[in-house]
Amino acid sequence: MVTYIGLDIGGTKLMVAAGDDNCTILRRVRAPTPAPLEEGLELLHQMIAEVAEGAAIAGIGAAIGGPLDAARGIVSPLHQPAWRNVQLKQMMEARWGCPFAVDVDTNVAALGEYTLARLQEPRFLYITLSTGMGGGFLVDGTIYAGAGGAHPEIGHQAVPFHCAHPERVACECGAPDCLEALISGNAIRRVYGKPAEQLNDDEWDEVAYNLGQGLRNIAAIYTPDLIVLGGGVAVGGGERLLNGARAVLNTRLTLVPAPEVRLSQLGHDTALLGALALARHAAAPA
């Protein structure tokens, strides 16, 4: 049986899965992300060996936070300070002797959602709202990249926002007014002093309003057919979060049609499944 390996390398957790040619997960493991780089890399190797169970690996795909150089496989995830200019592709191919591909986690999640949910929309945007915020834009099923292969950073747009504590708004990228600094998991802890699951109704209303302003910008510029939201904050906020955001989007967006906005149906596995799809693509003959 052909075996592919998918890696979801997050700021707080590592998930590794072995999958078949249909991107069906056969075996999986999960562990907290160690802060030191070498410890994290060695743990990934141990997890890959565990799920592979001695089978030959046809390809490995990985999802990780940006920024990164996807072509050369060099990663520098913003939320993992020890992981700077890591030659992940070179390391993985040398260790496992198979093709390796990596992309920004939101791109990989978009690919997973599009592939596994069998979507047909020509312009599809996947947004993850978790530790940070990001998005992956697919055009006819292909990941869109900007000039020089740059990944569009939708979480780092500025919006007119509502916030009871504006003095606490500060983005980890260094800019003072990013959307991510208002609605991501890290931002919610910074602004409200508690995790998203403990927000009260008024606080959720603020988060939903700010998300809606961001969706309005995105819809006006990208004009997508469909926007799907995933990640812990989005899943935790559920329809309460989406309804508030949709209300802002639908009342404030003019001149272009409002896209459908819904939650991911793949739960917390979107990026992991996308990584398996990326591995399958990396292993395919040129």
Side-chain angles (χ1 to χ4, degrees):
M1 178 185 293
V2 175
T3 300
Y4 301 97
I5 300 295
L7 313 178
D8 184 358
I9 304 171
T12 58
K13 66 181 181 299
L14 302 175
M15 295 196 293
V16 177
D20 61 16
D21 202 46
N22 295 316
C23 298
T24 300
I25 293 177
L26 305 174
R27 294 170 295 279
R28 60 188 298 162
V29 288
R30 170 177 172 158
T33 304
L37 171 62
E38 292 302 324
E39 187 178 340
L41 290 170
E42 185 54 35
L43 179 57
L44 278 175
H45 292 312
Q46 293 172 13
M47 295 167 77
I48 291 170
E50 181 176 347
V51 298
E53 292 188 345
I57 299 172
I60 301 175
I64 193 169
L68 56 75
D69 181 333
R72 294 191 294 163
I74 301 173
V75 304
S76 298
L78 180 64
H79 300 292
Q80 292 165 252
W83 291 60
R84 289 291 173 270
N85 298 313
V86 177
Q87 307 249 355
L88 195 59
K89 177 179 173 68
Q90 180 181 353
M91 292 175 178
M92 287 292 174
E93 290 185 345
R95 178 72 175 261
W96 297 101
C98 65
F100 175 86
V102 62
D103 211 325
V104 177
D105 48 11
T106 47
N107 281 348
V108 179
L111 184 64
E113 187 77 30
Y114 193 88
T115 302
L116 278 299
R118 294 180 170 83
L119 300 180
Q120 299 295 322
E121 286 80 2
R123 292 166 298 274
F124 167 62
L125 179 66
Y126 179 87
I127 295 175
T128 184
L129 200 51
S130 186
T131 304
M133 177 192 179
F137 189 45
L138 270 57
V139 180
D140 295 327
T142 300
I143 295 171
Y144 170 83
H151 171 65
E153 293 287 357
I154 64 168
H156 298 278
Q157 60 176 297
V159 300
F161 61 86
H162 290 171
C163 183
H165 304 286
E167 73 282 357
R168 301 178 187 173
V169 177
C171 189
E172 292 170 52
C173 78
D177 52 3
C178 293
L179 179 60
E180 178 177 301
L182 294 158
I183 65 176
S184 69
N186 280 355
I188 287 170
R189 287 184 178 88
R190 185 181 301 111
V191 172
Y192 300 105
K194 53 188 170 183
E197 58 266 26
Q198 295 178 14
L199 294 182
N200 62 39
D201 289 343
D202 289 341
E203 292 162 344
W204 271 120
D205 286 346
E206 285 188 350
V207 174
Y209 175 87
N210 296 329
L211 172 59
Q213 289 282 38
L215 295 180
R216 172 196 176 193
N217 286 347
I218 292 165
I221 295 168
Y222 282 116
T223 60
D225 301 286
L226 171 65
I227 298 175
V228 171
L229 276 77
V233 174
V235 173
E239 289 300 323
R240 170 178 52 183
L241 173 64
L242 255 64
N243 287 338
R246 287 191 195 106
V248 175
L249 169 66
N250 293 332
T251 57
R252 293 173 181 262
L253 181 67
T254 63
L255 302 181
V256 301
E260 179 186 357
V261 180
R262 65 176 187 239
L263 286 172
S264 171
Q265 298 302 303
L266 300 182
H268 297 288
D269 286 338
T270 314
L272 190 61
L273 290 165
L276 287 172
L278 197 63
R280 185 178 65 182
H281 178 76

